[in-house]
Amino acid sequence: MSKKSKTARKPKTHSHRVGADPELRAADSMTIFWMLCGVTTLLAEIAIICVQGSIWASGEPSPQLEAISMLLLMVAMVTGTISVLLIPVVLQQRRSAPPKAIVRAMVVIGLLPWVAFFVQIGR
């Protein structure tokens, strides 16, 4: 019987192992933080819409629900501002830029609480 020679396999390289390039890890961490801020802003905006819809559906103003709505708006403003400010940092640090649609969506999501704030003040 003949023995089949086994070809040596190359070990798989994982970029996120201990000792990986610190620049890659920092860029990945910054991207994750950027996306978390954007998702938090989006969730706060959806919650604001739900609370305002509840106020509108009940027909009578509720000071408690208005306070919750304003608190959610402030949270959305802070996290939205952070996400918009992180866009240039993420674009600079990453070797491959995120898709343009994601960047545009994050800009809209991040600026929407400010638009809502100024509309609400104008009422």
Side-chain angles (χ1 to χ4, degrees), residues 11-102:
K12 293 181 181 179
T13 58
H14 297 286
S15 62
H16 298 295
R17 285 191 176 176
V18 177
D21 189 8
E23 289 182 16
L24 290 176
R25 295 185 71 165
D28 287 346
S29 299
M30 190 61 66
T31 304
I32 290 169
F33 181 67
W34 172 57
M35 291 302 292
L36 284 175
C37 285
V39 169
T40 303
T41 305
L42 183 62
L43 290 175
E45 291 168 357
I46 291 170
I48 291 168
I49 292 170
C50 291
V51 169
Q52 289 294 331
S54 170
I55 293 171
W56 180 75
S58 69
E60 54 188 58
S62 171
Q64 293 86 7
L65 289 178
E66 289 288 337
I68 291 172
S69 177
M70 286 304 292
L71 179 65
L72 286 169
L73 182 61
M74 286 192 288
V75 168
M77 288 170 64
V78 170
T79 57
T81 302
I82 292 170
S83 69
V84 169
L85 292 176
L86 284 177
I87 290 173
V89 176
V90 169
L91 291 176
Q92 179 188 15
Q93 283 191 351
R94 290 186 54 89
R95 288 185 181 169
S96 61
K100 290 184 180 185
I102 299 288

